[in-house]
Amino acid sequence: MSTGQPWTIDSIAHALPHPELRATFMREASFTEVSELPAILDRWVRFIQEFEAGRDRVEHLRAVIRENGRLPETYTASLIDVSEDELRAAAGHGNRGAA
């Protein structure tokens, strides 16, 4: 939320990039004890700010993939740290059929 306006539960929910995230946020906000609510709201605001800060990088990577069909050789993941083997295994491209 770059307008400088104060965050509200509604503005946090609208800033979340996916419906499942909005639903998770709303559940947390609705079922958290009032005394714990500021920490929950702060965590979600930080998530949104970090997500927005990385948006240009993600859009650049999308453009590179559209143009070249793959990520650049110099790409390194910064949000998550997984190996190529872990990514292949998660995608179901592991050692299938190996005897």
Side-chain angles (χ1 to χ4, degrees):
M1 185 171 177
S2 60
T3 63
Q5 297 293 320
W7 288 100
T8 65
I9 288 178
D10 186 59
S11 66
I12 294 170
H14 281 90
L16 291 167
H18 201 274
E20 281 83 9
L21 285 173
R22 286 189 287 281
T24 299
F25 165 71
M26 292 305 290
R27 271 192 309 278
E28 286 187 17
S30 297
F31 296 108
T32 296
E33 289 184 31
V34 171
S35 63
E36 297 173 20
L37 198 52
I40 297 293
L41 298 176
D42 288 343
R43 183 170 52 87
W44 281 99
V45 168
R46 275 192 315 276
F47 172 84
I48 293 165
Q49 290 168 335
E50 290 169 9
F51 180 83
E52 289 298 322
R55 184 178 295 274
D56 289 342
R57 180 174 178 261
V58 170
E59 292 304 321
H60 169 73
L61 291 172
R62 283 182 178 169
V64 169
I65 291 171
R66 277 192 299 271
E67 186 176 318
N68 302 317
R70 61 185 171 82
L71 289 168
E73 296 293 326
T74 58
Y75 172 77
T76 56
S78 63
L79 295 177
I80 55 172
D81 187 18
V82 295
S83 69
E84 266 187 66
D85 292 336
E86 289 172 310
L87 288 172
R88 283 191 188 102
H93 298 295
N95 296 326
R96 283 188 182 173

Coordinates of all heavy atoms in Angstrom, one line a residue:
M1 N 0.9 -1.2 0.0 CA 0.0 0.0 0.0 C 0.9 1.2 0.0 O 1.4 1.6 1.0 CB -0.9 -0.1 1.2 CG -1.9 1.0 1.3 SD -3.0 0.6 2.6 CE -4.0 2.0 2.6
S2 N 1.1 1.8 -1.1 CA 2.1 2.9 -1.3 C 1.5 4.3 -1.1 O 2.1 5.2 -1.3 CB 2.8 2.7 -2.6 OG 1.8 2.8 -3.7
T3 N 0.2 4.4 -0.8 CA -0.5 5.7 -0.7 C -0.2 6.4 0.5 O -0.5 7.6 0.7 CB -2.0 5.5 -0.9 OG1 -2.4 4.7 0.2 CG2 -2.4 4.8 -2.2
G4 N 0.5 5.8 1.5 CA 0.8 6.4 2.8 C -0.4 6.4 3.7 O -0.4 6.9 4.8
Q5 N -1.5 5.8 3.3 CA -2.7 5.7 4.1 C -2.4 4.6 5.2 O -1.7 3.7 5.0 CB -3.9 5.3 3.3 CG -4.3 6.3 2.2 CD -4.8 7.6 2.9 OE1 -5.6 7.5 3.8 NE2 -4.4 8.7 2.3
P6 N -3.1 4.8 6.4 CA -2.9 3.8 7.4 C -3.5 2.4 7.0 O -4.5 2.4 6.2 CB -3.6 4.4 8.6 CG -4.5 5.5 8.1 CD -3.9 5.9 6.8
W7 N -2.9 1.4 7.5 CA -3.5 0.0 7.1 C -4.7 -0.2 7.9 O -4.8 0.2 9.1 CB -2.4 -1.0 7.5 CG -1.3 -1.1 6.6 CD1 0.0 -0.5 6.8 CD2 -1.2 -1.7 5.3 NE1 0.8 -0.8 5.7 CE2 0.1 -1.5 4.8 CE3 -2.1 -2.4 4.5 CZ2 0.5 -2.0 3.5 CZ3 -1.7 -2.9 3.3 CH2 -0.5 -2.7 2.8
T8 N -5.7 -0.9 7.3 CA -6.9 -1.4 8.0 C -7.0 -2.8 7.6 O -6.3 -3.4 6.7 CB -8.1 -0.6 7.5 OG1 -8.3 -1.0 6.1 CG2 -8.0 0.9 7.7
I9 N -7.9 -3.5 8.3 CA -8.1 -5.0 8.0 C -8.5 -5.1 6.5 O -8.0 -5.9 5.8 CB -9.1 -5.6 9.0 CG1 -8.4 -5.7 10.3 CG2 -9.6 -7.0 8.5 CD1 -9.2 -6.3 11.4
D10 N -9.4 -4.2 6.1 CA -9.9 -4.2 4.7 C -8.7 -4.0 3.7 O -8.6 -4.7 2.7 CB -11.0 -3.2 4.5 CG -11.6 -3.3 3.2 OD1 -12.2 -4.4 2.8 OD2 -11.6 -2.3 2.4
S11 N -7.9 -3.0 4.0 CA -6.8 -2.7 3.1 C -5.8 -3.8 3.0 O -5.2 -4.1 2.0 CB -6.2 -1.3 3.4 OG -5.5 -1.4 4.6
I12 N -5.5 -4.4 4.1 CA -4.6 -5.6 4.2 C -5.2 -6.7 3.3 O -4.5 -7.2 2.4 CB -4.3 -6.1 5.6 CG1 -3.6 -5.0 6.4 CG2 -3.6 -7.4 5.6 CD1 -3.5 -5.3 7.9
A13 N -6.5 -7.0 3.5 CA -7.1 -8.1 2.8 C -7.1 -7.8 1.3 O -6.8 -8.7 0.5 CB -8.5 -8.3 3.2
H14 N -7.3 -6.6 0.9 CA -7.3 -6.2 -0.6 C -5.9 -6.2 -1.2 O -5.8 -6.4 -2.4 CB -8.0 -4.9 -0.8 CG -9.5 -5.0 -0.8 ND1 -10.2 -4.9 0.4 CD2 -10.4 -5.3 -1.8 CE1 -11.5 -5.1 0.1 NE2 -11.6 -5.3 -1.2
A15 N -4.9 -6.0 -0.4 CA -3.5 -6.0 -0.9 C -2.9 -7.3 -1.1 O -1.9 -7.5 -1.7 CB -2.6 -5.1 0.1
L16 N -3.6 -8.3 -0.5 CA -3.0 -9.7 -0.6 C -3.3 -10.2 -2.0 O -4.3 -10.1 -2.6 CB -3.6 -10.6 0.5 CG -3.2 -10.3 1.9 CD1 -4.1 -11.0 2.9 CD2 -1.7 -10.6 2.1
P17 N -2.2 -10.9 -2.6 CA -2.3 -11.2 -4.0 C -3.1 -12.4 -4.4 O -3.2 -12.7 -5.6 CB -0.8 -11.4 -4.4 CG -0.2 -11.8 -3.1 CD -0.9 -11.1 -2.0
H18 N -3.6 -13.1 -3.5 CA -4.3 -14.4 -3.8 C -5.5 -14.6 -2.9 O -5.4 -14.4 -1.7 CB -3.3 -15.6 -3.7 CG -3.7 -16.7 -4.5 ND1 -4.5 -17.7 -4.0 CD2 -3.4 -17.1 -5.8 CE1 -4.7 -18.6 -4.9 NE2 -4.0 -18.3 -6.0
P19 N -6.6 -15.2 -3.4 CA -7.8 -15.4 -2.6 C -7.5 -16.3 -1.3 O -8.1 -16.0 -0.3 CB -8.8 -16.0 -3.5 CG -8.3 -15.7 -4.9 CD -6.8 -15.5 -4.8
E20 N -6.7 -17.3 -1.5 CA -6.4 -18.1 -0.3 C -5.6 -17.4 0.8 O -5.9 -17.6 1.9 CB -5.6 -19.4 -0.8 CG -6.4 -20.5 -1.4 CD -6.7 -20.2 -2.9 OE1 -6.0 -19.3 -3.5 OE2 -7.5 -20.9 -3.5
L21 N -4.7 -16.5 0.4 CA -4.1 -15.6 1.4 C -5.1 -14.7 2.1 O -5.0 -14.6 3.3 CB -3.0 -14.8 0.7 CG -1.7 -15.5 0.3 CD1 -0.8 -14.6 -0.5 CD2 -1.0 -16.0 1.5
R22 N -6.0 -14.1 1.3 CA -7.0 -13.3 1.9 C -7.8 -14.1 2.9 O -8.1 -13.6 4.0 CB -7.9 -12.7 0.9 CG -7.2 -11.5 0.1 CD -8.1 -10.8 -0.8 NE -8.5 -11.5 -2.0 CZ -7.8 -11.6 -3.1 NH1 -6.6 -11.1 -3.1 NH2 -8.3 -12.3 -4.1
A23 N -8.2 -15.3 2.5 CA -9.0 -16.1 3.5 C -8.2 -16.5 4.7 O -8.8 -16.4 5.8 CB -9.5 -17.4 2.7
T24 N -7.0 -16.8 4.6 CA -6.1 -17.1 5.7 C -6.0 -15.9 6.6 O -6.1 -16.0 7.8 CB -4.7 -17.6 5.3 OG1 -4.9 -18.8 4.5 CG2 -3.9 -18.0 6.4
F25 N -5.7 -14.8 6.0 CA -5.6 -13.6 6.8 C -6.9 -13.3 7.6 O -6.9 -13.0 8.8 CB -5.3 -12.4 5.9 CG -5.5 -11.0 6.6 CD1 -4.7 -10.6 7.6 CD2 -6.6 -10.2 6.2 CE1 -4.9 -9.4 8.3 CE2 -6.8 -9.0 6.9 CZ -6.0 -8.6 7.9
M26 N -8.0 -13.4 6.9 CA -9.3 -13.1 7.5 C -9.6 -14.1 8.7 O -10.1 -13.7 9.7 CB -10.5 -13.1 6.5 CG -10.4 -11.9 5.5 SD -10.3 -10.3 6.3 CE -11.9 -10.1 7.0
R27 N -9.3 -15.3 8.5 CA -9.4 -16.3 9.6 C -8.6 -15.9 10.8 O -9.0 -15.9 11.9 CB -9.1 -17.7 9.1 CG -10.2 -18.5 8.5 CD -9.9 -20.0 8.3 NE -8.6 -20.2 7.6 CZ -8.4 -20.2 6.3 NH1 -9.5 -19.9 5.5 NH2 -7.3 -20.4 5.8
E28 N -7.3 -15.6 10.5 CA -6.4 -15.2 11.6 C -6.9 -14.0 12.3 O -6.9 -13.9 13.5 CB -5.0 -15.0 11.1 CG -4.3 -16.3 10.8 CD -2.8 -16.1 10.4 OE1 -2.2 -15.0 10.7 OE2 -2.2 -17.0 9.8
A29 N -7.3 -13.0 11.5 CA -7.8 -11.7 12.1 C -9.1 -11.9 12.9 O -9.3 -11.3 14.0 CB -8.0 -10.7 11.1
S30 N -9.9 -12.8 12.5 CA -11.2 -13.1 13.1 C -11.1 -13.9 14.4 O -11.9 -13.7 15.3 CB -12.2 -13.7 12.2 OG -12.4 -12.9 11.1
F31 N -10.2 -14.9 14.4 CA -10.1 -15.8 15.5 C -8.9 -15.6 16.4 O -8.7 -16.5 17.3 CB -10.1 -17.3 14.9 CG -11.4 -17.6 14.2 CD1 -11.4 -17.7 12.8 CD2 -12.6 -17.8 14.9 CE1 -12.6 -18.0 12.1 CE2 -13.8 -18.0 14.2 CZ -13.8 -18.2 12.8
T32 N -8.2 -14.5 16.3 CA -7.1 -14.2 17.2 C -7.6 -13.4 18.4 O -8.4 -12.6 18.2 CB -6.0 -13.5 16.4 OG1 -5.5 -14.3 15.4 CG2 -4.9 -13.0 17.3
E33 N -7.0 -13.7 19.5 CA -7.4 -12.9 20.7 C -7.0 -11.5 20.4 O -6.0 -11.2 19.8 CB -6.6 -13.4 21.9 CG -7.1 -14.8 22.4 CD -6.4 -15.2 23.7 OE1 -6.0 -14.3 24.5 OE2 -6.3 -16.4 23.9
V34 N -7.8 -10.5 20.9 CA -7.6 -9.1 20.7 C -6.1 -8.7 21.1 O -5.5 -7.9 20.4 CB -8.6 -8.3 21.4 CG1 -8.3 -6.8 21.4 CG2 -10.0 -8.5 20.8
S35 N -5.6 -9.2 22.2 CA -4.3 -8.8 22.7 C -3.2 -9.3 21.7 O -2.1 -8.7 21.7 CB -4.0 -9.4 24.0 OG -4.0 -10.8 24.0
E36 N -3.4 -10.3 20.9 CA -2.5 -10.8 19.9 C -2.7 -10.2 18.5 O -1.8 -10.5 17.7 CB -2.5 -12.3 19.9 CG -2.2 -13.0 21.2 CD -2.4 -14.5 21.2 OE1 -2.4 -15.1 20.1 OE2 -2.5 -15.1 22.3
L37 N -3.7 -9.5 18.3 CA -4.1 -9.0 17.0 C -3.0 -8.1 16.4 O -2.7 -8.2 15.2 CB -5.4 -8.3 17.0 CG -6.1 -8.1 15.7 CD1 -6.2 -9.4 14.9 CD2 -7.5 -7.6 15.9
P38 N -2.4 -7.1 17.2 CA -1.4 -6.2 16.6 C -0.2 -7.0 15.9 O 0.2 -6.7 14.9 CB -0.9 -5.4 17.7 CG -2.1 -5.3 18.6 CD -2.7 -6.7 18.5
A39 N 0.2 -8.1 16.6 CA 1.3 -8.9 16.0 C 0.9 -9.6 14.8 O 1.7 -9.6 13.8 CB 1.8 -9.9 17.1
I40 N -0.3 -10.1 14.7 CA -0.8 -10.7 13.5 C -0.9 -9.7 12.4 O -0.4 -10.0 11.2 CB -2.2 -11.4 13.7 CG1 -2.1 -12.5 14.8 CG2 -2.8 -11.9 12.5 CD1 -1.3 -13.7 14.4
L41 N -1.5 -8.6 12.6 CA -1.6 -7.5 11.6 C -0.2 -7.1 11.1 O 0.0 -6.9 9.9 CB -2.4 -6.4 12.1 CG -3.9 -6.7 12.5 CD1 -4.6 -5.5 13.1 CD2 -4.6 -7.3 11.3
D42 N 0.7 -6.8 12.0 CA 2.1 -6.4 11.6 C 2.7 -7.5 10.7 O 3.4 -7.1 9.7 CB 2.9 -6.2 12.9 CG 2.6 -4.9 13.6 OD1 1.9 -4.1 13.1 OD2 3.0 -4.8 14.8
R43 N 2.5 -8.7 11.0 CA 3.1 -9.8 10.2 C 2.6 -9.8 8.8 O 3.3 -9.9 7.8 CB 2.9 -11.2 10.9 CG 3.5 -12.3 10.1 CD 3.5 -13.6 10.9 NE 2.2 -14.0 11.4 CZ 1.3 -14.7 10.7 NH1 1.5 -15.0 9.5 NH2 0.1 -14.9 11.2
W44 N 1.3 -9.6 8.7 CA 0.7 -9.5 7.3 C 1.1 -8.3 6.6 O 1.3 -8.3 5.4 CB -0.8 -9.7 7.4 CG -1.3 -11.1 7.7 CD1 -1.6 -11.7 8.8 CD2 -1.4 -12.1 6.7 NE1 -1.9 -13.0 8.7 CE2 -1.8 -13.3 7.3 CE3 -1.2 -12.1 5.3 CZ2 -2.0 -14.5 6.6 CZ3 -1.4 -13.3 4.6 CH2 -1.8 -14.5 5.3
V45 N 1.2 -7.2 7.2 CA 1.6 -5.9 6.6 C 3.1 -6.1 6.1 O 3.4 -5.7 4.9 CB 1.5 -4.7 7.5 CG1 2.3 -3.5 7.0 CG2 0.0 -4.4 7.8
R46 N 3.9 -6.7 6.9 CA 5.3 -7.0 6.5 C 5.3 -7.9 5.2 O 6.1 -7.7 4.3 CB 6.1 -7.6 7.6 CG 6.8 -6.6 8.5 CD 7.8 -7.2 9.4 NE 7.4 -8.5 10.0 CZ 6.7 -8.6 11.2 NH1 6.3 -7.5 11.8 NH2 6.4 -9.8 11.6
F47 N 4.5 -8.9 5.2 CA 4.4 -9.8 4.1 C 4.0 -9.1 2.8 O 4.7 -9.2 1.8 CB 3.3 -10.9 4.4 CG 3.0 -11.8 3.1 CD1 3.9 -12.8 2.8 CD2 2.0 -11.4 2.3 CE1 3.6 -13.6 1.7 CE2 1.7 -12.2 1.2 CZ 2.6 -13.3 0.9
I48 N 3.0 -8.2 2.9 CA 2.6 -7.4 1.7 C 3.7 -6.5 1.3 O 4.0 -6.4 0.1 CB 1.3 -6.6 2.1 CG1 0.2 -7.5 2.3 CG2 1.0 -5.6 1.0 CD1 -1.0 -6.9 3.0
Q49 N 4.4 -5.8 2.2 CA 5.5 -4.9 1.9 C 6.6 -5.7 1.2 O 7.2 -5.2 0.2 CB 6.0 -4.2 3.1 CG 4.9 -3.2 3.6 CD 5.2 -2.6 5.0 OE1 5.9 -3.2 5.8 NE2 4.7 -1.4 5.2
E50 N 7.0 -6.8 1.7 CA 8.1 -7.6 1.1 C 7.6 -8.1 -0.3 O 8.4 -8.2 -1.2 CB 8.4 -8.8 2.0 CG 9.2 -8.3 3.3 CD 9.3 -9.4 4.3 OE1 9.0 -10.6 4.0 OE2 9.8 -9.1 5.4
F51 N 6.4 -8.5 -0.4 CA 5.9 -9.0 -1.7 C 5.9 -7.9 -2.7 O 6.4 -8.1 -3.8 CB 4.4 -9.5 -1.5 CG 3.8 -10.0 -2.8 CD1 4.1 -11.3 -3.2 CD2 3.0 -9.2 -3.6 CE1 3.5 -11.8 -4.4 CE2 2.4 -9.6 -4.7 CZ 2.7 -10.9 -5.2
E52 N 5.5 -6.7 -2.4 CA 5.5 -5.6 -3.3 C 6.9 -5.2 -3.6 O 7.2 -4.8 -4.8 CB 4.7 -4.4 -2.7 CG 3.2 -4.6 -2.6 CD 2.6 -4.8 -4.0 OE1 3.0 -4.1 -5.0 OE2 1.7 -5.7 -4.1
A53 N 7.8 -5.2 -2.7 CA 9.2 -4.9 -2.9 C 9.8 -5.8 -4.0 O 10.7 -5.4 -4.7 CB 10.0 -4.9 -1.6
G54 N 9.4 -7.0 -4.1 CA 9.9 -8.0 -5.0 C 9.2 -8.1 -6.3 O 9.6 -8.8 -7.2
R55 N 8.1 -7.3 -6.5 CA 7.3 -7.4 -7.7 C 8.1 -7.1 -9.0 O 7.9 -7.8 -9.9 CB 6.1 -6.4 -7.6 CG 5.1 -6.5 -8.7 CD 3.9 -5.6 -8.6 NE 3.1 -6.0 -7.4 CZ 2.1 -6.9 -7.5 NH1 1.9 -7.5 -8.6 NH2 1.4 -7.1 -6.4
D56 N 8.9 -6.0 -9.0 CA 9.7 -5.7 -10.2 C 10.6 -6.8 -10.6 O 10.7 -7.2 -11.8 CB 10.5 -4.4 -10.0 CG 9.6 -3.2 -9.9 OD1 8.4 -3.2 -10.4 OD2 10.1 -2.1 -9.4
R57 N 11.2 -7.5 -9.6 CA 12.1 -8.6 -9.9 C 11.4 -9.8 -10.5 O 11.8 -10.4 -11.5 CB 12.8 -9.0 -8.6 CG 13.7 -10.2 -8.8 CD 14.5 -10.5 -7.4 NE 15.4 -11.6 -7.6 CZ 15.1 -12.8 -7.1 NH1 13.9 -13.0 -6.6 NH2 15.9 -13.8 -7.3
V58 N 10.2 -10.1 -9.9 CA 9.4 -11.2 -10.5 C 8.9 -10.9 -11.9 O 9.0 -11.7 -12.8 CB 8.2 -11.4 -9.5 CG1 7.2 -12.4 -10.2 CG2 8.7 -12.0 -8.2
E59 N 8.5 -9.6 -12.1 CA 8.0 -9.3 -13.5 C 9.2 -9.3 -14.5 O 9.0 -9.8 -15.6 CB 7.4 -7.9 -13.5 CG 6.1 -7.8 -12.7 CD 5.0 -8.8 -13.2 OE1 4.9 -9.0 -14.5 OE2 4.3 -9.4 -12.4
H60 N 10.4 -9.0 -14.1 CA 11.5 -9.1 -14.9 C 11.8 -10.6 -15.3 O 12.0 -10.9 -16.4 CB 12.8 -8.5 -14.3 CG 14.0 -8.8 -15.0 ND1 14.4 -8.2 -16.2 CD2 15.0 -9.6 -14.7 CE1 15.5 -8.7 -16.6 NE2 16.0 -9.5 -15.7
L61 N 11.8 -11.4 -14.2 CA 12.0 -12.8 -14.5 C 10.9 -13.4 -15.4 O 11.2 -14.3 -16.3 CB 12.0 -13.6 -13.1 CG 13.2 -13.3 -12.3 CD1 13.1 -14.0 -10.9 CD2 14.5 -13.8 -12.9
R62 N 9.7 -13.0 -15.2 CA 8.6 -13.5 -16.1 C 8.9 -13.1 -17.6 O 8.7 -13.9 -18.5 CB 7.3 -12.9 -15.7 CG 6.6 -13.6 -14.5 CD 5.3 -13.0 -14.2 NE 4.7 -13.6 -13.1 CZ 3.6 -13.2 -12.5 NH1 3.0 -12.1 -12.9 NH2 3.1 -13.9 -11.5
A63 N 9.4 -11.9 -17.8 CA 9.7 -11.4 -19.1 C 10.9 -12.2 -19.7 O 10.8 -12.6 -20.9 CB 10.1 -9.9 -19.1
V64 N 11.9 -12.5 -18.9 CA 13.0 -13.3 -19.4 C 12.5 -14.7 -19.7 O 12.9 -15.2 -20.8 CB 14.1 -13.4 -18.3 CG1 15.2 -14.4 -18.6 CG2 14.7 -12.0 -18.1
I65 N 11.7 -15.3 -18.9 CA 11.2 -16.6 -19.3 C 10.3 -16.6 -20.5 O 10.5 -17.5 -21.4 CB 10.3 -17.2 -18.1 CG1 11.3 -17.5 -16.9 CG2 9.6 -18.5 -18.5 CD1 10.6 -17.9 -15.6
R66 N 9.5 -15.6 -20.7 CA 8.7 -15.5 -22.0 C 9.6 -15.4 -23.2 O 9.4 -16.0 -24.2 CB 7.8 -14.3 -21.9 CG 6.5 -14.6 -21.2 CD 5.5 -13.4 -21.4 NE 5.9 -12.2 -20.9 CZ 5.7 -11.7 -19.7 NH1 5.1 -12.4 -18.8 NH2 6.2 -10.5 -19.4
E67 N 10.7 -14.7 -23.0 CA 11.6 -14.4 -24.1 C 12.5 -15.6 -24.4 O 12.7 -16.0 -25.6 CB 12.5 -13.2 -23.8 CG 13.4 -12.8 -25.0 CD 14.1 -11.5 -24.7 OE1 13.5 -10.6 -24.1 OE2 15.3 -11.5 -25.0
N68 N 13.0 -16.3 -23.3 CA 14.1 -17.3 -23.5 C 13.6 -18.7 -23.2 O 14.3 -19.7 -23.4 CB 15.3 -17.0 -22.6 CG 15.9 -15.7 -23.0 OD1 16.0 -15.3 -24.1 ND2 16.2 -14.9 -22.0
G69 N 12.4 -18.8 -22.5 CA 11.9 -20.1 -22.2 C 12.5 -20.7 -20.9 O 12.2 -21.8 -20.5
R70 N 13.4 -19.9 -20.2 CA 14.0 -20.4 -19.0 C 14.5 -19.2 -18.2 O 14.7 -18.1 -18.7 CB 15.1 -21.4 -19.2 CG 16.2 -20.8 -20.1 CD 17.3 -21.9 -20.4 NE 18.2 -21.5 -21.3 CZ 19.3 -20.7 -21.0 NH1 19.5 -20.4 -19.8 NH2 20.2 -20.4 -21.9
L71 N 14.8 -19.4 -16.9 CA 15.4 -18.4 -16.1 C 16.9 -18.1 -16.5 O 17.5 -19.0 -17.1 CB 15.5 -18.9 -14.6 CG 14.1 -18.9 -13.9 CD1 14.2 -19.7 -12.6 CD2 13.6 -17.5 -13.7
P72 N 17.4 -16.9 -16.3 CA 18.8 -16.7 -16.7 C 19.7 -17.5 -15.8 O 19.4 -17.9 -14.7 CB 18.9 -15.2 -16.3 CG 17.8 -14.8 -15.4 CD 16.7 -15.8 -15.6
E73 N 20.9 -17.8 -16.4 CA 21.9 -18.6 -15.8 C 22.3 -18.0 -14.4 O 22.7 -18.7 -13.5 CB 23.2 -18.7 -16.7 CG 22.9 -19.5 -17.9 CD 22.6 -21.0 -17.7 OE1 23.1 -21.6 -16.7 OE2 21.8 -21.5 -18.5
T74 N 22.3 -16.7 -14.3 CA 22.7 -16.0 -13.1 C 21.7 -15.9 -12.0 O 21.9 -15.4 -10.9 CB 23.1 -14.5 -13.4 OG1 22.0 -13.9 -14.0 CG2 24.3 -14.5 -14.4
Y75 N 20.5 -16.5 -12.3 CA 19.4 -16.4 -11.3 C 19.7 -17.3 -10.1 O 20.1 -18.4 -10.2 CB 18.1 -16.9 -11.9 CG 17.0 -17.1 -10.9 CD1 16.3 -15.9 -10.5 CD2 16.6 -18.3 -10.4 CE1 15.3 -16.0 -9.6 CE2 15.6 -18.4 -9.5 CZ 14.9 -17.3 -9.0 OH 13.9 -17.4 -8.1
T76 N 19.4 -16.7 -8.9 CA 19.5 -17.4 -7.7 C 18.2 -17.1 -6.9 O 17.8 -15.9 -6.9 CB 20.7 -17.1 -6.8 OG1 20.7 -15.7 -6.6 CG2 22.0 -17.5 -7.5
A77 N 17.6 -18.1 -6.3 CA 16.4 -17.8 -5.5 C 16.7 -17.1 -4.3 O 17.7 -17.4 -3.6 CB 15.7 -19.2 -5.2
S78 N 15.9 -16.1 -3.9 CA 16.2 -15.4 -2.7 C 15.1 -15.5 -1.6 O 15.3 -15.4 -0.5 CB 16.5 -13.9 -3.0 OG 15.3 -13.3 -3.5
L79 N 13.9 -15.9 -2.1 CA 12.8 -16.0 -1.1 C 12.8 -17.4 -0.5 O 12.5 -17.6 0.6 CB 11.5 -15.8 -1.8 CG 11.3 -14.3 -2.3 CD1 9.9 -14.2 -3.0 CD2 11.3 -13.4 -1.1
I80 N 13.2 -18.4 -1.3 CA 13.3 -19.8 -0.8 C 14.7 -20.3 -1.3 O 15.2 -19.9 -2.3 CB 12.2 -20.6 -1.4 CG1 12.1 -20.6 -2.9 CG2 10.9 -20.3 -0.8 CD1 11.2 -21.6 -3.5
D81 N 15.2 -21.2 -0.5 CA 16.5 -21.8 -0.8 C 16.3 -23.3 -1.1 O 16.3 -24.1 -0.1 CB 17.5 -21.5 0.3 CG 18.9 -21.9 0.0 OD1 19.2 -22.1 -1.2 OD2 19.7 -22.1 0.9
V82 N 16.1 -23.7 -2.3 CA 16.0 -25.1 -2.6 C 16.9 -25.4 -3.8 O 17.3 -24.5 -4.6 CB 14.6 -25.5 -3.0 CG1 13.6 -25.3 -1.9 CG2 14.1 -24.6 -4.2
S83 N 17.3 -26.7 -3.9 CA 18.2 -27.1 -4.9 C 17.4 -27.5 -6.2 O 16.2 -27.6 -6.1 CB 19.1 -28.3 -4.5 OG 18.2 -29.4 -4.4
E84 N 18.1 -27.6 -7.3 CA 17.5 -28.0 -8.5 C 16.8 -29.4 -8.4 O 15.7 -29.6 -8.9 CB 18.5 -28.1 -9.7 CG 18.6 -26.8 -10.5 CD 19.5 -27.0 -11.7 OE1 19.1 -27.8 -12.6 OE2 20.5 -26.4 -11.8
D85 N 17.5 -30.3 -7.7 CA 17.0 -31.6 -7.4 C 15.7 -31.6 -6.6 O 14.7 -32.3 -6.9 CB 18.0 -32.5 -6.7 CG 19.2 -32.8 -7.6 OD1 19.1 -32.8 -8.8 OD2 20.3 -33.1 -7.0
E86 N 15.7 -30.7 -5.6 CA 14.4 -30.6 -4.8 C 13.3 -30.0 -5.7 O 12.1 -30.5 -5.6 CB 14.7 -29.6 -3.6 CG 15.6 -30.2 -2.6 CD 15.9 -29.2 -1.5 OE1 16.4 -28.1 -1.9 OE2 15.8 -29.6 -0.3
L87 N 13.6 -29.1 -6.5 CA 12.5 -28.5 -7.4 C 12.0 -29.6 -8.4 O 10.8 -29.7 -8.6 CB 13.1 -27.3 -8.2 CG 13.3 -26.0 -7.4 CD1 14.0 -25.0 -8.3 CD2 12.0 -25.5 -6.9
R88 N 13.0 -30.4 -9.0 CA 12.5 -31.4 -9.9 C 11.7 -32.5 -9.2 O 10.7 -32.9 -9.7 CB 13.8 -32.1 -10.5 CG 14.4 -31.3 -11.6 CD 15.4 -32.1 -12.4 NE 16.1 -31.3 -13.3 CZ 17.4 -30.8 -13.1 NH1 18.0 -31.1 -12.0 NH2 17.9 -30.0 -14.0
A89 N 12.1 -32.9 -8.0 CA 11.4 -33.9 -7.2 C 10.0 -33.3 -6.9 O 9.0 -34.0 -7.0 CB 12.1 -34.2 -6.0
A90 N 9.9 -32.1 -6.5 CA 8.6 -31.5 -6.2 C 7.7 -31.4 -7.4 O 6.5 -31.5 -7.3 CB 8.8 -30.1 -5.5
A91 N 8.3 -31.2 -8.5 CA 7.5 -31.1 -9.8 C 7.2 -32.5 -10.4 O 6.6 -32.6 -11.4 CB 8.3 -30.3 -10.8
G92 N 7.7 -33.6 -9.7 CA 7.5 -34.9 -10.2 C 8.4 -35.3 -11.3 O 8.1 -36.3 -12.1
H93 N 9.6 -34.7 -11.5 CA 10.5 -35.0 -12.5 C 11.8 -35.6 -11.9 O 12.8 -35.5 -12.4 CB 10.9 -33.7 -13.3 CG 9.8 -33.1 -14.0 ND1 9.1 -33.6 -15.0 CD2 9.2 -31.9 -13.7 CE1 8.1 -32.8 -15.4 NE2 8.1 -31.8 -14.6
G94 N 11.6 -36.3 -10.8 CA 12.7 -37.0 -10.2 C 13.2 -38.2 -10.9 O 13.0 -38.2 -12.2
N95 N 13.7 -39.1 -10.3 CA 14.2 -40.3 -10.9 C 13.2 -41.4 -11.2 O 13.3 -42.5 -10.7 CB 15.4 -40.9 -10.1 CG 16.5 -40.0 -10.0 OD1 16.8 -39.2 -11.0 ND2 17.2 -40.0 -8.9
R96 N 12.1 -41.0 -11.8 CA 11.0 -42.0 -12.1 C 11.5 -43.1 -13.1 O 12.2 -42.8 -14.0 CB 9.9 -41.3 -12.8 CG 9.0 -40.4 -11.9 CD 7.8 -40.0 -12.6 NE 7.0 -39.1 -11.7 CZ 6.0 -38.4 -12.2 NH1 5.6 -38.5 -13.4 NH2 5.3 -37.7 -11.3
G97 N 11.1 -44.2 -12.7 CA 11.4 -45.4 -13.6 C 12.8 -45.9 -13.6 O 13.2 -46.8 -14.3
A98 N 13.6 -45.3 -12.7 CA 15.0 -45.8 -12.6 C 15.0 -47.1 -11.9 O 14.3 -47.3 -10.9 CB 15.8 -44.7 -11.8
A99 N 15.8 -48.0 -12.4 CA 15.8 -49.4 -11.8 C 16.9 -49.4 -10.7 O 17.9 -48.8 -10.7 CB 16.1 -50.4 -12.9

